[in-house]
Amino acid sequence: MLSVNAIQTCYGPSQALFGVDLTVEAGELVALMGRNGMGKTTTIRTIFGLTPASAGEVQFAGQNITRLAPHRIARLGLGLVPEGRRCFTNLTVRENLLATANPGDWTQNRVEALFPRLAERRHQLALTLSGGEQQMLAIGRALMTNPRLLVLDEATEGLAPVIRQEIWKAIAILKEAGMSILLVDKTLNELLPRADRCLILEKGQSVWNGHPGELGDAVKDRYLGV
Ligand code: ATP
């Protein structure tokens, strides 16, 4: 479904990615891992055309999207839950959901069934939500685009343990429903049991790709600082 081949990406004169490869097959949950500053967010920004690659290629559903504008990439069926959530704070919960809605199985009702707190807060401004509720809204907003692939950058960062569990439960429901997911998260004990495959970045390069069960202590120690 998604194929990223040898991408290199720069922020002005500063190069952040030096050759990242990754694939996500239909229905897979792929974990994108690496220590702070290794290029996970930049990889996601490159996939979505927010910081386009200077070399390499991104293909989605057989189409080369490397140089497409972000809104066109989103319309092809890539849904993003960005780091820091970035809800539209001056809109209500409902308005946030409707703002990105595309026709499909994911409707306001289905999102509210996944996250009942959003139903309770339907008419509240997103500004007034807790961090966990904003993350639920960010996931709901991405689902409302009816994506074929959902990408979450820092799925549970900074959230209370009880809210993290709600987010992980929702991710499990999405996977069960057949959603393809690319996910960044630092809580390996939650992430690894749920992932079909893991990819590790080190200094802007892909250095390891495999099944979570193959991820030995030496690799964890070397690349993840565990
Ligand atoms: P974290 O886990 O801390 O979010 P990350 O793995 O997502 O880190 P990136 O945010 O992609 O890493 O950063 C990769 C490299 O690119 C880092 O060296 C970072 O300093 C640099 N970088 C990120 N954003 C910018 C920017 N806007 N301008 C210049 N350099 C940047």
Side-chain angles (χ1 to χ4, degrees):
M1 177 166 278
L2 177 72
S3 169
V4 171
N5 303 304
I7 52 168
Q8 298 187 35
T9 302
C10 302
Y11 292 102
S14 158
Q15 186 162 355
L17 301 186
F18 296 86
V20 171
D21 302 291
L22 71 84
T23 57
V24 183
E25 308 292 340
E28 255 192 330
L29 192 159
V30 175
L32 181 59
M33 307 195 302
R35 288 187 299 243
N36 288 345
M38 291 302 157
K40 303 178 298 292
T41 295
T42 306
T43 298
I44 290 173
R45 291 185 60 85
T46 303
I47 292 168
F48 281 85
L50 295 163
T51 308
S54 51
E57 193 175 88
V58 182
Q59 291 225 356
F60 179 63
Q63 185 173 342
N64 184 346
I65 63 167
T66 320
R67 315 249 170 267
L68 286 189
H71 67 280
R72 293 191 56 203
I73 292 173
R75 272 188 210 142
L76 291 174
L78 271 158
L80 176 62
V81 181
E83 188 173 23
R85 333 192 209 290
R86 294 178 167 245
C87 297
F88 305 123
T89 50
N90 58 342
L91 300 183
T92 65
V93 167
R94 180 170 181 273
E95 287 166 345
N96 265 272
L97 294 177
L98 296 184
T100 60
N102 281 324
D105 290 348
W106 283 99
T107 59
Q108 185 186 340
N109 283 346
R110 193 168 171 202
V111 168
E112 288 179 348
L114 185 67
F115 295 121
R117 280 161 184 260
L118 295 183
E120 292 163 21
R121 286 156 180 72
R122 195 180 291 154
H123 300 297
Q124 238 173 274
L125 285 182
L127 180 69
T128 64
L129 299 181
S130 70
E133 290 159 358
Q134 288 198 9
Q135 183 67 341
M136 293 173 192
L137 182 56
I139 295 172
R141 181 181 59 180
L143 290 171
M144 290 293 284
T145 68
N146 275 286
R148 288 189 276 173
L149 171 66
L150 184 66
V151 180
L152 298 101
D153 192 356
E154 301 292 0
T156 67
E157 189 178 42
L159 304 181
V162 61
I163 303 289
R164 284 178 181 221
Q165 286 317 313
E166 283 188 49
I167 302 287
W168 285 119
K169 197 173 133 201
I171 289 168
I173 290 170
L174 295 174
K175 183 164 161 42
E176 192 69 23
M179 181 69 79
S180 313
I181 301 171
L182 176 65
L183 199 155
V184 172
D185 199 87
K186 292 199 179 73
T187 49
L188 297 189
N189 57 339
E190 300 285 358
L191 179 57
L192 293 179
R194 293 169 169 91
D196 296 306
R197 222 147 37 75
C198 303
L199 302 152
I200 301 180
L201 302 186
E202 170 86 351
K203 295 183 183 161
Q205 280 188 301
S206 300
V207 289
W208 196 87
N209 175 2
H211 186 268
E214 299 161 358
L215 192 60
D217 288 343
V219 174
K220 282 190 194 168
D221 182 48
R222 180 165 177 193
Y223 297 123
L224 304 174
V226 177

